[in-house]
């Protein structure tokens, strides 16, 4: 029952979702909106990736879900971070920070290879 | 994880709805947003949907991201299959029933094989047990007397001298080694009743070797196995229940074994039957007491415990290192055996070596020669299973073709072929699984009955335990799976190999002629295959039935009615050689005096058990084309034997009281003897020599008609001799009592007559001659009965198959038939058209089956009787039966087709 391999992009999406959900219970539509807003429209999450990712994360035990009423009065599925998910988020953000710092350091070099 | 797995599995449907609801919420929320931005209601919804992409696709991906996907698919497929089944309950039930019978027949036979060949002994750690045998490259004399089995290759035997046992048991390879004699019959007197029961003499270590526990009292110990120890007896749990009233206070009580006082010391654990499958010794006695209990066992030998040329002891041991290769153990034990040979073997080819064979499953006389039986039974049941499976394949093929449009649509929408395969396979799997479940019922009920059909002495095989075990369940489920993969593949392959555009272009319900005929071809090929197999079974069953009938109606040469048989073994209860002649004489006298008795005689061999021995008869007058001597069957009996059995005298007189021990030697011969040796001339009055070397002159005093007295199948030159004129009276005698009328009241009178001579002797196997003849036909009856049942089953299943295919074909051709009818074709022509198709299909099968069936009589030659080689009658009969079946099975579809209303048929589209 091995889960599908996570490539970098997918791993990043997972992290973004976890981070977004960490701010408080939120439904799938809300997640896509929030990522879009916070990233100032740079990141746009495809529905086709978002929902399977949510289900995958829920199955891994990083998210739990609950049905509740949304702002517009409709019933929506709200996701919440589990303790396991918090640990995972922490690990992933540390990893990300290290990685992006490393990339920044390299990219910050003056001059060029030319 | 496991819990998550199952909860996801079972809340599947709910989960699917949730995913749907979640995605719908997304769409609705996005539409709200767009509306706020000024789009119209419908525009907003359309836009939201466009942005979102394929809802179903995403839902599918969500499901995919969860575990247990394949299982979910399987359950979905099974659910679908179940709904398909429910839609046509009768057809589905028929499919399940036929698979149930097909699998069940196999399971039942396998259960029998399991019980006889595969099951381990119910003893402690059976895997460590080995049985010891020896083997010499050539045949020759290694011993003076031998009691055990000897078989090829070379000379292979299971009995050793006592000296060999004593040396071998000291070897460190064994933790225990026990010796025993073959299972024998003993007369046991307990609680005022004397019965003949099976029993065994074993060394003191036997029960310890097997690690069996007593249910009561204690088991045998080395201290019991001493010549001067008091006689201790251990009985089986079965015997304690049946003959001792399950009374615990019987332990320590006295009983008499072969008229010797003994003490019952214990009862073995329930379910323990010793080391021989199919034998069930009720009494177990210490080997050292054989001199007291069964003095006749080692007749004519000096002490068998010291005489190294008397081999009679079989051995079983427990290996200290069970993983040591058998070859290594054998190599280290062979010198030990050689050290006990006295004198040393005359030729190098005679030098024996040890054979150590695993005995976890015990030993069994039933296993000898049963391979052929099992091969025939398994072969037949396999054929039945193939026929049943082909039916189900045909059914699913018809169903799948009915869904051809749906399948085509799904394929063109991108459904994978493997998904469709799985779906059709799971339909088969569901039917097979239900069939397998039904088959377990058959497997529970039938094998017990099968065992009663097996030929075995005293019906001892009935002690064999059958029943469900893991092997049986494994075999049943493997069979179900195997037929699913093989026969499920046919419709799956055919249904997914579609010309998509063609199938889609067709109108619903009326498929392209191409697809229809292709499906029809596969269906018809399967029917032809079924018919070919069915022909084999029918012909085989016919031959077995004919054999049984031939054997039952063969001219026996004696009068089978109104004769009661029973055996007495006076030697066992203490009558030595010198006293037996008088004993038999008194028994005959007492029996003669019983009212209702016409005449009494006895013979050394029980009729129709194939016993007896051969000897050579010679005479200078013999006309044998060069040879001077003739091998003849010897029949040793009491006076008036031929007359009592009702064998017609052709000339001279029967043996009677005049043929005494000290009188002139005489014999009576049969017709075949007279024809073979004297060219048909009346031999009465002639004198011939009996015995191959120092032949003794015997005068022929009578000529009788041939009687198939020892074996029904043979007519051999036979010589009747007076037992009184032999060196010693036989130890056991089977008495034949001809009466005016056999009634149940007579038997107690016969018992009382015997008891007046000797109260402590049991009557062994009391039955009528008729029953004895029937009993001798046990295996023939079993073959006829079982193969008959299988053939009938195959025929019915084939008929169902033919019916199914013809009904399907007729349904497919509704329009064509409608057109024909509308154009004026007669209804009888329509009927003829459908029937012709069915007959052609069956004829093809018969043609395919006949060459195979041709080899049947050659394969089964040993089992048949009275059938001429290449006798075509069975094949003609089978062919006729199949043709009639073809017509009968196609009749209803044909009749229905002919009754079509052309207008309805044409308007159906």
């Amino acid at each position: 029952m091995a889960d599908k391999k996570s490539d970098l992009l997918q791993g990043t999406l997972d992290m973004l979702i976890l981070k977004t959900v960490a701010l408080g219970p939120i439904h799938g539509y809300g997640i896509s909106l929030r990522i879009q807003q916070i990233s100032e429209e740079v990141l746009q999450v495809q529905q086709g990736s978002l929902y399977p990712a949510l289900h995958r994360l829920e199955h891994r035990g990083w998210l739990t879900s609950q049905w509740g009423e949304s702002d517009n009065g409709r019933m929506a599925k709200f996701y919440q971070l589990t303790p396991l998910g918090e640990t995972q988020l922490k690990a992933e953000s540390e990893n990300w920070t290290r990685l992006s710092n490393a990339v920044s350091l390299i990219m910050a070099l003056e001059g060029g290879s030319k | 994880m496991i819990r998550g797995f199952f909860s996801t599995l079972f809340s599947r449907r709910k989960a699917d709805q949730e995913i749907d609801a979640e995605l719908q919420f997304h769409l609705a929320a996005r539409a709200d947003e767009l509306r706020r931005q000024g789009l119209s209601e419908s525009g907003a919804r359309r836009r939201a949907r466009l942005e979102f992409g394929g809802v179903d696709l995403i839902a599918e991906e969500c499901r995919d991201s969860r575990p247990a996907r394949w299982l979910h698919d399987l359950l979905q497929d099974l659910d679908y299959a179940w709904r398909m089944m429910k839609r046509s309950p009768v057809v589905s039930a028929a499919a399940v029933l036929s698979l149930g019978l097909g699998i069940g027949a196999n399971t039942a036979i396998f259960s029998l094989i399991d019980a006889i060949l595969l099951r381990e002994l119910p003893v402690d750690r059976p895997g460590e047990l080995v049985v010891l045998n020896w083997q010499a490259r050539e045949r020759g004399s290694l011993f003076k007397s031998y009691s055990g089995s000897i078989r090829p290759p070379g000379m292979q035997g299971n009995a050793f001298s006592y000296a060999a046992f004593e040396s071998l048991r000291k070897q460190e390879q064994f933790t225990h080694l026990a010796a025993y004699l073959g299972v024998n019959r003993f007369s046991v007197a307990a609680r005022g009743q004397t019965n003949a029961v099976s029993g065994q003499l074993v060394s003191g270590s036997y029960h310890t070797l097997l690690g069996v526990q007593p249910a009561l009292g204690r088991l045998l110990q080395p201290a019991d196995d001493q010549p001067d120890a008091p006689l201790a007896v251990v009985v089986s749990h079965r015997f304690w229940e049946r003959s001792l009233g399950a009374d615990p206070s019987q332990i320590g009580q006295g009983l008499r074994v072969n008229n010797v006082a003994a003490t019952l010391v214990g009862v073995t654990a329930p379910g323990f039957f010793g080391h021989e499958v199919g034998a069930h010794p009720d009494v177990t006695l210490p080997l050292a007491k054989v001199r007291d209990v069964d003095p006749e066992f080692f007749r004519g030998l000096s002490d068998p415990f010291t005489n190294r040329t008397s081999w009679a002891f079989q051995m079983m041991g427990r290996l200290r290192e069970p993983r040591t290769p058998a070859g290594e153990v054998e190599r280290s034990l062979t010198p030990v055996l050689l050290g006990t040979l006295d004198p040393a073997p005359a030729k190098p080819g005679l030098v024996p070596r040890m054979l150590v064979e695993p005995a976890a499953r015990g030993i069994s006389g039933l296993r000898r020669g049963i391979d052929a039986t099992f091969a025939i039974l398994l072969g037949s049941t396999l054929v039945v299973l193939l026929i049943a499976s082909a039916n189900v394949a045909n059914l699913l093929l018809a169903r799948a073709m009915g869904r051809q449009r749906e399948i085509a649509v799904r394929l063109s929408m991108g459904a994978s072929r493997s998904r469709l395969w799985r779906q059709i396979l799971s339909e088969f799997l569901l039917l097979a699984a239900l069939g397998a479940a039904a088959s377990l019922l058959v497997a529970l009920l039938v094998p017990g009955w099968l065992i009663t059909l097996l030929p075995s002495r005293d019906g001892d095989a009935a002690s064999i335990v059958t029943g469900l075990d893991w092997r049986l369940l494994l075999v049943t489920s493997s069979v179900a799976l195997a037929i699913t993969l093989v026969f499920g593949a046919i419709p799956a392959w055919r249904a997914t190999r579609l010309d998509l555009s063609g199938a889609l272009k067709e109108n619903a319900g009326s498929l392209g002629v191409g697809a229809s005929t292709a499906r029809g071809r596969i269906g018809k090929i399967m029917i032809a295959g079924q018919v070919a197999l069915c022909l084999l079974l029918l012909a085989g069953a016919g031959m077995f039935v004919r054999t049984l009938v031939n054997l039952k109606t063969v001219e026996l040469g004696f009068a089978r009615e109104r004769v009661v048989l029973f055996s007495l073994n006076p030697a066992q209860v203490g009558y030595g050689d010198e006293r037996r002649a008088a004993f038999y004489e008194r028994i005959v006298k007492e029996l003669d005096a019983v009212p209702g008795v016409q005449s009494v005689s006895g013979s050394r061999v029980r009729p129709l058990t194939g016993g007896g021995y051969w000897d050579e008869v010679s005479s200078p007058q013999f006309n044998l084309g060069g040879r001077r001597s003739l091998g003849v069957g010897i029949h040793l009996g009491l006076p008036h034997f031929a007359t009592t059995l009702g064998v017609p005298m052709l000339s001279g007189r029967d043996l009677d009281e005049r043929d005494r021990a000290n009188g002139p030697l005489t014999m009576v011969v049969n017709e075949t003897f007279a024809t073979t040796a004297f060219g048909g001339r009346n031999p009465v009055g002639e004198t011939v020599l009996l015995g191959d070397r120092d032949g003794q002159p015997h005068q022929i005093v009578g000529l009788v008609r041939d009687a198939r007295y020892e074996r029904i199948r043979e007519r051999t030159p036979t010589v009747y001799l007076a037992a009184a004129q032999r060196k010693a009276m036989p130890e056991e005698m089977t008495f034949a009592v001809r009466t005016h009328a056999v009634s149940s009241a007579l038997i107690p009178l016969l018992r009382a007559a015997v008891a007046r001579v000797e109260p402590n002797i049991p009557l062994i196997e009391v039955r009528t001659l008729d029953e004895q003849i029937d009993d001798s036909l046990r295996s023939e009856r079993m073959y006829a009965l079982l193969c008959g049942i299988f053939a009938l089953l195959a025929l019915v299943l084939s008929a169902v198959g033919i019916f199914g295919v013809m009904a399907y074909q007729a349904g497919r051709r509704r329009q064509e038939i409608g057109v024909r009818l509308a154009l004026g074709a007669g209804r009888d022509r329509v009927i003829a058209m459908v029937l012709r198709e069915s007959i052609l299909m069956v004829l093809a099968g018969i043609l395919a089956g006949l060459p195979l069936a041709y080899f049947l009589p050659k394969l089964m030659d040993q089992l048949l009787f009275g059938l001429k080689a290449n006798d075509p009658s069975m094949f003609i009969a089978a062919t006729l039966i199949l043709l009639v079946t073809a017509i009968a099975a196609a009749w209803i579809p044909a009749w229905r087709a002919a009754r079509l209303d052309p207008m309805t048929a044409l308007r159906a589209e």
Side-chain angles (χ1 to χ4, degrees):
Chain A
M1 200 130 326
D3 286 302
K4 279 175 193 154
K5 267 187 217 151
S6 307
D7 53 21
L8 176 69
L9 200 68
Q10 198 178 359
T12 317
L13 177 62
D14 287 358
M15 184 181 70
L16 293 180
I17 291 172
L18 288 176
K19 181 74 188 175
T20 318
V21 174
L23 302 174
I26 188 168
H27 46 69
Y29 181 62
I31 295 173
S32 72
L33 275 186
R34 200 175 281 176
I35 291 180
Q36 208 170 328
Q37 284 163 5
I38 297 177
S39 71
E40 294 166 351
E41 311 286 325
V42 173
L43 296 174
Q44 202 152 13
V45 184
Q46 291 299 314
Q47 274 54 277
S49 320
L50 174 67
Y51 284 98
L54 281 171
H55 282 264
R56 189 170 56 243
L57 295 178
E58 188 181 6
H59 167 62
R60 282 186 189 160
W62 298 343
L63 298 179
T64 60
S65 66
Q66 219 171 357
W67 286 82
E69 203 172 316
S70 72
D71 305 338
N72 58 20
R74 289 195 172 86
M75 292 302 285
K77 193 179 178 189
F78 285 87
Y79 291 90
Q80 220 171 340
L81 212 56
T82 63
L84 206 66
E86 275 174 45
T87 324
Q88 177 67 20
L89 175 59
K90 209 165 150 238
E92 285 202 16
S93 42
E94 274 167 17
N95 195 28
W96 175 256
T97 315
R98 231 184 22 253
L99 193 71
S100 59
N101 279 345
V103 174
S104 315
L105 279 176
I106 293 167
M107 299 313 286
L109 286 176
E110 295 282 330
S113 50
K114 282 195 182 157
Chain B
M1 183 66 196
I2 297 284
R3 242 189 57 208
F5 179 78
F6 279 106
S7 56
T8 17
L9 196 65
F10 289 116
S11 57
R12 256 305 163 182
R13 195 162 287 185
K14 211 175 129 235
D16 285 357
Q17 286 165 0
E18 261 193 47
I19 290 171
D20 239 33
E22 188 178 13
L23 300 183
Q24 288 306 326
F25 167 78
H26 186 112
L27 287 173
R30 178 65 185 150
D32 286 351
E33 176 73 30
L34 289 168
R35 241 192 332 270
R36 269 200 299 282
Q37 290 172 9
L39 264 76
S40 70
E41 173 79 30
S42 60
R45 247 185 290 161
R46 198 165 50 239
R47 176 82 179 276
R49 204 168 269 281
L50 274 171
E51 283 177 5
F52 195 85
V55 177
D56 289 344
L57 195 70
I58 294 178
E60 183 77 7
E61 277 178 28
C62 287
R63 280 193 286 271
D64 271 347
S65 67
R66 302 215 160 217
R69 176 64 210 242
W70 62 271
L71 201 55
H72 168 242
D73 283 351
L74 179 68
L75 287 184
Q76 203 181 36
D77 286 344
L78 289 177
D79 185 52
Y80 179 80
W82 177 246
R83 276 182 282 137
M84 288 300 288
M85 268 185 69
K86 276 199 300 195
R87 222 190 279 169
S88 43
V90 178
V91 178
S92 304
V96 169
L97 189 71
S98 46
L99 283 181
L101 289 172
I103 300 174
N106 279 277
T107 325
I109 299 300
F110 179 78
S111 166
L112 200 64
I113 295 177
D114 180 38
I116 294 175
L117 298 180
L118 303 178
R119 237 173 242 214
E120 292 198 332
L121 291 176
V123 302
D124 187 30
R125 286 168 290 141
E128 298 171 3
L129 297 177
V130 289
V131 66
L132 303 191
N133 293 315
W134 54 265
Q135 186 183 25
R137 287 204 312 279
E138 293 171 26
R139 298 181 77 90
S141 63
L142 265 175
F143 31 72
K144 285 208 183 102
S145 91
Y146 187 86
S147 170
S149 76
I150 289 190
R151 54 180 194 272
M155 181 162 66
Q156 189 178 322
N158 63 351
F160 296 85
S161 69
Y162 198 76
F165 168 57
E166 289 199 301
S167 303
L168 285 165
R169 79 164 145 192
K170 291 190 198 113
Q171 303 304 311
E172 57 170 13
Q173 280 87 345
F174 302 111
T175 58
H176 299 91
L177 186 69
Y180 44 87
L181 303 177
V183 174
N184 202 350
R185 206 183 274 122
F186 292 84
S187 76
V188 175
R191 307 213 314 172
Q193 271 198 326
T194 305
N195 288 306
V197 304
S198 63
Q200 191 164 31
L201 289 153
V202 304
S203 66
S205 48
Y206 179 78
H207 285 133
T208 323
L209 162 78
L210 296 177
V212 58
Q213 298 299 315
L216 281 173
R218 65 172 180 85
L219 302 181
L220 292 184
Q221 296 160 358
D224 297 313
D225 192 18
Q226 303 294 332
D228 47 359
L231 180 58
V233 181
V234 168
V235 299
S236 71
H237 199 266
R238 174 179 88 166
F239 181 82
W240 177 65
E241 281 186 338
R242 278 192 207 161
S243 302
L244 299 179
D247 176 7
S249 72
Q250 290 289 320
I251 303 296
Q253 300 289 309
L255 40 75
R256 296 187 81 78
V257 178
N258 285 354
N259 221 0
V260 178
T263 309
L264 176 65
V265 298
V267 178
T268 51
F272 175 77
F273 55 81
H275 62 275
E276 191 172 339
V277 178
H280 193 303
D282 279 326
V283 294
T284 308
L285 307 151
L287 191 54
K289 306 296 287 181
V290 64
R291 273 172 283 234
D292 303 329
V293 179
D294 200 359
E296 300 296 324
F297 195 83
F298 296 108
R299 275 177 63 82
L301 285 166
S302 53
D303 192 342
F305 289 96
T306 54
N307 193 328
R308 295 185 168 204
T309 60
S310 162
W311 294 24
F313 301 92
Q314 302 171 35
M315 282 185 250
M316 184 175 279
R318 187 179 285 278
L319 288 178
R320 196 178 298 280
E321 301 288 344
R323 273 186 287 275
T324 319
E328 209 170 291
V329 182
E330 286 167 357
R331 270 193 299 282
S332 60
L333 294 181
T334 297
V336 182
L337 172 66
L338 298 182
T340 65
L341 298 181
D342 182 28
K347 293 183 284 183
L350 268 180
V351 177
R353 66 183 190 95
M354 290 294 298
L355 293 180
V356 175
E357 285 164 14
R361 286 172 261 143
I363 58 173
S364 181
L366 277 176
R367 289 176 194 156
R368 240 170 285 135
I370 207 157
D371 298 357
T373 308
F374 283 156
I376 287 175
L377 294 184
L378 263 189
S380 315
T381 54
L382 217 58
V383 165
V384 173
L385 178 65
L386 289 179
I387 292 176
S389 304
N391 269 0
V392 177
N394 256 338
L395 167 71
L396 291 188
L397 191 54
R399 272 193 194 159
M401 298 320 275
R403 298 207 307 266
Q404 193 140 31
R405 253 179 82 82
E406 172 208 326
I407 291 172
V409 169
R410 288 179 62 180
L411 280 175
S412 57
M413 297 284 283
S416 65
R417 280 201 156 76
S418 74
R419 187 75 190 74
L420 289 170
W421 264 76
R422 272 185 285 161
Q423 196 185 329
I424 293 174
L425 283 183
S426 48
E427 263 184 79
F428 201 111
L429 184 67
L430 181 66
L431 293 171
L434 290 173
S439 82
L440 288 181
L441 215 67
V442 180
L444 271 180
L445 300 176
V446 173
W449 172 72
L450 285 182
I451 278 176
T452 63
L453 297 179
L454 281 181
S456 80
R457 195 185 63 161
D458 298 358
D460 257 350
S463 66
I464 291 173
V465 192
T466 58
L468 286 184
D469 66 355
W470 62 268
R471 258 193 299 267
L472 208 63
L473 293 173
L474 189 74
V475 164
T476 309
S477 39
S478 315
V479 167
L481 208 60
I483 57 171
T484 300
L485 290 178
V486 174
F487 284 89
I490 297 171
W493 171 76
R494 186 63 199 87
T496 53
R497 223 185 92 244
L498 279 177
D499 167 19
L500 286 186
S501 55
L504 286 173
K505 256 182 271 160
E506 295 295 336
N507 285 331
S510 93
L511 274 170
V513 174
S516 169
T517 47
R519 127 75 194 161
R521 206 180 312 127
I522 294 178
K524 283 180 183 173
I525 290 173
M526 281 201 278
I527 292 291
Q530 284 182 325
V531 168
L533 291 173
C534 200
L535 180 82
L536 283 183
L537 276 192
L538 280 174
M543 289 176 206
F544 282 129
V545 170
R546 272 278 294 276
T547 295
L548 183 63
V549 171
N550 287 349
L551 285 169
K552 279 196 146 183
T553 53
V554 74
E555 177 66 47
L556 288 170
F558 56 88
R560 56 192 285 174
E561 303 84 14
R562 294 182 287 112
V563 175
V564 177
L565 300 171
F566 62 87
S567 309
L568 295 176
N569 189 328
Q572 238 179 18
V573 292
Y575 286 82
D577 284 356
E578 65 291 346
R579 290 175 61 206
R580 278 202 295 278
F583 174 82
Y584 290 139
E585 222 165 278
R586 283 186 58 202
I587 292 282
V588 169
K589 214 170 177 185
E590 287 289 345
L591 291 172
D592 255 334
V594 171
V597 170
Q598 236 171 10
S599 71
V600 178
S601 186
S603 73
R604 199 185 69 94
V605 172
R606 184 170 271 264
L608 302 156
T609 51
Y613 66 97
W614 290 75
D615 208 338
E616 302 279 324
V617 173
S618 55
S619 160
Q621 305 169 45
F622 279 4
N623 183 9
L624 292 168
R627 279 185 305 125
R628 273 294 139 89
S629 72
L630 174 68
V632 295
I634 300 291
H635 187 275
L636 214 56
L638 298 179
H640 308 295
F641 184 78
T643 14
T644 300
L645 261 283
V647 185
M649 292 298 307
L650 296 174
S651 173
R653 65 169 177 89
D654 197 2
L655 295 172
D656 58 24
E657 287 76 8
R658 279 170 280 179
D659 308 293
R660 305 201 61 89
N662 42 13
L665 298 173
T666 50
M667 63 165 63
V668 167
V669 299
N670 73 349
E671 252 183 314
T672 302
F673 178 93
T675 325
T676 322
F678 289 95
R681 183 161 61 82
N682 185 351
V684 172
E686 302 284 350
T687 297
V688 295
L689 298 176
L690 175 71
D692 52 353
R693 273 180 218 152
D694 40 357
Q696 286 189 297
H698 284 66
Q699 194 189 20
I700 298 174
V701 295
L703 172 66
V704 291
R705 173 150 293 159
D706 285 341
R708 298 170 189 264
Y709 178 77
E710 285 170 2
R711 299 170 188 79
I712 294 188
R713 286 166 180 262
E714 286 171 26
R715 210 157 51 163
T716 45
T718 303
V719 161
Y720 293 76
L721 299 175
Q725 297 188 332
R726 299 302 101 197
K727 275 192 224 100
M729 265 287 176
E731 291 156 28
E732 185 173 303
M733 188 70 79
T734 297
F735 287 86
V737 181
R738 180 166 293 278
T739 64
H740 293 293
V742 175
S743 74
S744 51
L746 182 73
I747 312 293
L749 294 180
L750 298 180
R751 282 186 193 280
V754 172
R756 277 197 289 279
V757 181
E758 169 57 60
N760 281 316
I761 194 166
L763 274 64
I764 301 165
E765 289 185 65
V766 184
R767 58 175 69 143
T768 63
L769 183 56
D770 249 341
E771 291 166 349
Q772 187 75 43
I773 294 170
D774 271 359
D775 197 61
S776 75
L777 296 176
R778 232 166 212 282
S779 61
E780 285 83 2
R781 191 173 311 111
M782 176 186 72
Y783 285 127
L785 188 64
L786 291 184
C787 290
I789 290 176
F790 295 146
L792 199 65
L793 210 55
L795 189 66
V796 170
L797 290 173
S798 302
V800 170
I802 295 169
F803 171 81
V805 166
M806 292 322 295
Y808 174 84
Q809 295 282 79
R812 281 274 160 251
R813 294 169 67 181
R814 273 169 70 90
Q815 274 187 305
E816 178 206 327
I817 293 169
V819 171
R820 282 173 188 262
L821 286 171
L823 291 178
R827 299 199 184 278
D828 45 348
R829 275 203 57 178
V830 172
I831 291 186
M833 185 179 82
V834 176
L835 290 187
R836 203 189 58 200
E837 202 176 340
S838 166
I839 290 173
L840 281 178
M841 191 164 74
V842 168
L843 270 181
I846 291 170
L847 286 180
L850 276 178
L852 292 173
Y854 176 78
F855 291 102
L856 274 186
K858 293 180 178 54
L859 284 176
M860 309 191 305
D861 186 38
Q862 292 291 311
L863 303 169
L864 301 178
F865 177 79
L867 292 172
K868 280 181 220 84
N870 303 329
D871 178 0
S873 63
M874 285 300 130
F875 304 125
I876 294 172
T879 303
L880 285 178
I881 290 175
L882 284 169
L883 283 177
V884 169
T885 307
I887 294 172
W891 187 259
I892 293 177
W895 182 71
R896 265 208 223 137
R899 271 178 35 119
L900 267 182
D901 173 10
M903 290 324 287
T904 333
L906 288 172
R907 230 186 278 125
E909 296 314 317

